Amino acid sequence: MATEPGPDPRRVDPDYDRHGGFPVFEAAQPGPGFERFLTAMRRLQDLAVSADPDPQTWTDAAGRVEALVAQLAPFEAGEGVGPANRVPDLPGAGSLLMPPWVVDKFEADEVLLRVTFSRFHVGGNYAVHGGVLPLLFDSMFGMVIHATGRPISRTAYLNVDYRKITPIDTELHARGWLREAQGRKAFVNAELRDADGNLLAEANGLMVRLLAGQP
């Protein structure tokens, strides 16, 4: 798997570390327990939107979840401190917010991901909710910016065209790339296809480099 990014953006943008609101994210090594925790939590998310037990089971489950909250609450930390979104080798980089994607290529010419949506992501009729796909594409746009070595940027706009129903429980392939760069502006594209190459959705967007002190 190719995971080498482009040039260090700090060389391109001397004010990189002064762009407000973005901590410097470094890879975390939380240990194998974190991966087990994420796997269990993803399954729990699926069950939370699909299970239909008796009332007492809901009560018992609520008590267990409340106990887990109490166990973790003393360790709540700021952005960029906890391992979530900082473990590149785990699906979704270790973030439950993100669909569980796996990086196959992370280079300046393109970023390639494999992603499998589950019951948690269903909008209706066992199809992925339309609002989930912009989240995937927006995350991919950020990866493209980083892979090309461009300075830290925010999304100015993101357009999504839905071509076919996006299924759950099947491995899909996403690709993102930089289409054009104009000063602070980076125009990016992305697409999502199934195993047979059918286009499910595609996106285009504009990422704008932040100015010094801009959040």
Side-chain angles (χ1 to χ4, degrees):
M1 178 178 69
T3 58
E4 289 298 323
D8 186 345
R10 288 168 178 79
R11 295 183 180 180
V12 180
D13 179 12
D15 293 318
Y16 184 92
D17 291 315
R18 291 198 287 144
H19 297 315
F22 283 84
V24 177
F25 288 96
E26 298 179 348
Q29 297 180 330
F34 183 63
E35 181 176 3
R36 288 180 56 199
F37 174 79
L38 284 177
T39 300
M41 285 296 296
R42 289 193 188 280
R43 179 59 180 150
L44 181 60
Q45 288 180 155
D46 287 336
L47 291 171
V49 299
S50 62
D52 186 26
D54 57 85
Q56 184 58 48
T57 298
W58 279 127
T59 299
D60 295 343
R64 294 189 180 189
V65 172
E66 288 166 355
L68 180 60
V69 170
Q71 181 181 355
L72 292 178
F75 303 98
E76 188 171 2
E79 184 182 9
V81 178
N85 205 37
R86 295 200 301 124
V87 190
D89 293 334
L90 293 183
S95 172
L96 287 172
L97 174 64
M98 300 299 165
W101 40 255
V102 176
V103 180
D104 282 332
K105 182 179 180 181
F106 189 82
E107 296 182 357
D109 63 327
E110 63 181 359
V111 173
L112 301 178
L113 308 179
R114 282 176 289 124
V115 59
T116 302
F117 297 101
S118 65
R119 186 70 181 273
F120 180 68
H121 304 107
V122 166
N125 200 24
Y126 290 95
V128 174
H129 193 293
V132 175
L133 297 187
L135 174 62
L136 171 67
F137 287 137
D138 196 31
S139 300
M140 175 162 270
F141 288 173
M143 293 182 211
V144 168
I145 292 298
H146 189 59
T148 56
R150 289 186 59 81
I152 194 166
S153 305
R154 277 196 182 275
T155 308
Y157 67 74
L158 187 160
N159 297 321
V160 178
D161 291 316
Y162 300 91
R163 302 303 186 187
K164 290 181 178 291
I165 296 298
T166 300
I168 64 170
D169 299 329
T170 183
E171 188 174 80
L172 307 173
H173 301 270
R175 173 177 177 253
W177 67 96
L178 177 66
R179 186 178 78 251
E180 182 182 0
Q182 299 176 358
R184 293 175 57 207
K185 298 179 179 180
F187 297 90
V188 289
N189 282 55
E191 61 184 22
L192 181 67
R193 295 179 181 270
D194 63 20
D196 295 323
N198 295 307
L199 182 63
L200 305 177
E202 56 186 339
N204 65 83
L206 170 61
M207 306 291 286
V208 178
R209 174 177 62 85
L210 296 180
L211 299 174
Q214 189 174 8

